[in-house]
Structure formats: C-alpha cells, structure tokens
Amino acid sequence: MGKAKAKAKQAKGKMKESAGKAMGDRGMQAEGRGEQMAGKAQEAAHDAGERMRKSGR
C-alpha cells in the first residue's frame, strides 16, 4: 500500500473519531482510532520498505 493511501486511512480515521466524539458514540471513536493506527502502521511499513530498497537489500 502506498504512503498516500496510508495517510488517507489516517485522515478517515480522524474524521470518524471526531464524528463519534460529537455524537457521543464511543464505538465509532474507537473504530476511528483503530483506523488511524492501521494507517500509521501501513505508513511505517512503506517507509521501512523504501529504506530497504534504497539500501540495496
């Protein structure tokens, strides 16, 4: 997954968390935080892959 998609997933999660907070829906807030974490993990994996590729491995 590309870095742009990972950032989009983080943004979607942030919006979902904010909407859940506004509506008082703790489940939606938690789901949004989960999406943010998944996006951050995907971004980190992408960055690690790029570093590996650049190092010649």
Side-chain angles (χ1 to χ4, degrees):
M1 177 171 284
K3 193 167 189 166
K5 285 186 179 183
K7 287 285 190 185
K9 189 168 204 157
Q10 289 177 47
K12 179 182 171 190
K14 185 67 175 171
M15 287 190 295
K16 192 177 279 189
E17 181 183 9
S18 296
K21 188 177 262 188
M23 293 188 290
D25 185 340
R26 289 182 171 206
M28 185 181 275
Q29 282 179 283
E31 193 175 320
R33 283 192 301 271
E35 283 187 27
Q36 288 178 66
M37 287 191 287
K40 287 179 184 181
Q42 289 170 346
E43 184 179 4
H46 177 268
D47 291 345
E50 285 294 307
R51 283 193 303 274
M52 290 293 284
R53 187 182 61 76
K54 287 181 183 177
S55 72
R57 291 185 179 207

